[in-house]
Amino acid sequence: MACWYEGPLAAFDTETTGVDVETDRIVSAAVVVQDAPGTRPRVTRWLVNPGVPVPEAATAVHGLTEDHLQRNGRWPAPVMQEIAEELAVQATAGRPLVVMNAPFDLTLLDRELRRHRASSLSRWFETRSLTVLDPRVLDKHLDRYRKGRRTLTDLCAHYEVDLEDAHDAAADALASLEVVRAVGRRFAARLERLSPAELHTLQAVWHAAQARGLQAWFARSGTEESVDPAWPLRPDLPAAA
């Protein structure tokens, strides 16, 4: 039987108005499904009019202007419902969901669901299991002593994965999926006997340890920045925007 990294995978990615999961908004999103390596992926895209200003700094990253989103984007409420439904479909089908830096994208989606649907991401997975594979967490644990940054662009370069149209949600989702396959192959001896569900549980532990290490480094360098150890979804905040 083929290992999980040679089997069906889905991937999710967003582009946003900024990097604060409590206040920023989703402007585009994509889910990519691939049944096997080398097969043609199925892509579902969403373009969102966030209803708030889109900073020029955000547009400089993903290229989506406020005017373009107002003209072509849909209102957030139905989009967030559709995204959650699609992620639930993938979970029901038993496809692991690849999400690069999962606590960012999944928490942002959760906050958007709360904001526009009076719902939450966890409600969609009360009767089904969401199994997440985070290439950033996997790579950092399996190759912990490698120096350098571990952005998606860096991981694609390291694992020789093509990344065209970086910061397009569909392109980033597909690249993340391919990175996870490459990580699986490179570290097959350590991963092939683990199921995606087991890896999901382990990644929560690994991410927490990575967060503690980064927090300690910040403390030594005199930086007051806080690192959240929660994975793949950050806990609720009572004053979420």
Side-chain angles (χ1 to χ4, degrees):
M1 179 178 290
C3 296
W4 59 263
Y5 48 81
E6 303 292 359
L9 294 175
F12 172 60
D13 189 73
T14 66
E15 297 299 328
T16 68
T17 60
V19 297
D20 188 331
V21 296
E22 302 300 337
T23 59
D24 282 307
R25 313 296 175 91
I26 294 172
V27 297
S28 70
V31 171
V32 173
V33 179
Q34 188 182 48
D35 293 325
T39 60
R40 185 180 182 87
R42 301 187 296 279
V43 181
T44 304
R45 301 171 182 265
W46 294 270
L47 191 67
V48 186
N49 176 0
V52 299
V54 180
E56 291 183 3
T59 297
V61 173
H62 49 59
L64 299 170
T65 65
E66 186 171 334
D67 179 68
H68 177 76
L69 294 169
Q70 288 177 348
R71 291 174 181 271
N72 300 286
R74 297 168 57 203
W75 288 113
V79 171
M80 301 311 149
Q81 176 87 5
E82 290 172 15
I83 294 173
E85 287 177 348
E86 182 62 26
L87 297 189
V89 165
Q90 300 310 318
T92 300
R95 295 188 189 95
L97 184 69
V98 176
V99 190
M100 173 72 185
N101 192 18
F104 177 79
D105 292 84
L106 295 182
T107 303
L108 191 56
L109 174 59
D110 175 78
R111 302 316 192 245
E112 288 278 56
L113 286 166
R114 293 171 185 274
R115 183 178 293 121
H116 298 291
R117 302 296 303 183
S119 182
S120 69
L121 188 57
S122 61
R123 291 182 187 177
W124 287 88
F125 299 97
E126 291 175 344
T127 59
R128 54 179 72 86
S129 297
L130 177 64
T131 302
V132 177
L133 299 170
D134 189 331
R136 187 169 181 267
V137 175
L138 290 170
D139 172 74
K140 197 169 184 179
H141 176 78
L142 295 164
D143 198 359
R144 68 182 67 185
Y145 299 113
R146 189 179 81 249
K147 295 183 178 180
R149 300 175 60 190
R150 300 181 194 242
T151 66
L152 179 58
T153 300
D154 297 318
L155 295 184
C156 285
H158 182 70
Y159 289 99
E160 300 181 341
V161 170
D162 291 335
L163 174 58
E164 299 179 1
D165 298 324
H167 299 297
D168 169 83
D172 286 358
L174 179 58
S176 298
L177 186 153
E178 295 291 358
V179 167
V180 163
R181 293 199 190 279
V183 170
R185 294 175 188 131
R186 185 167 300 187
F187 297 98
R190 299 167 64 182
L191 295 177
E192 62 185 357
R193 296 181 182 178
L194 294 170
S195 70
E198 290 170 326
L199 272 175
H200 179 101
T201 301
L202 287 170
Q203 284 170 102
V205 177
W206 296 344
H207 179 270
Q210 293 163 8
R212 289 193 298 270
L214 182 57
Q215 190 72 73
W217 185 86
F218 281 146
R220 291 193 300 270
S221 62
T223 302
E224 296 183 359
E225 186 171 348
S226 177
V227 184
D228 196 321
W231 183 96
L233 184 66
R234 295 177 186 171
D236 306 344
L237 288 182

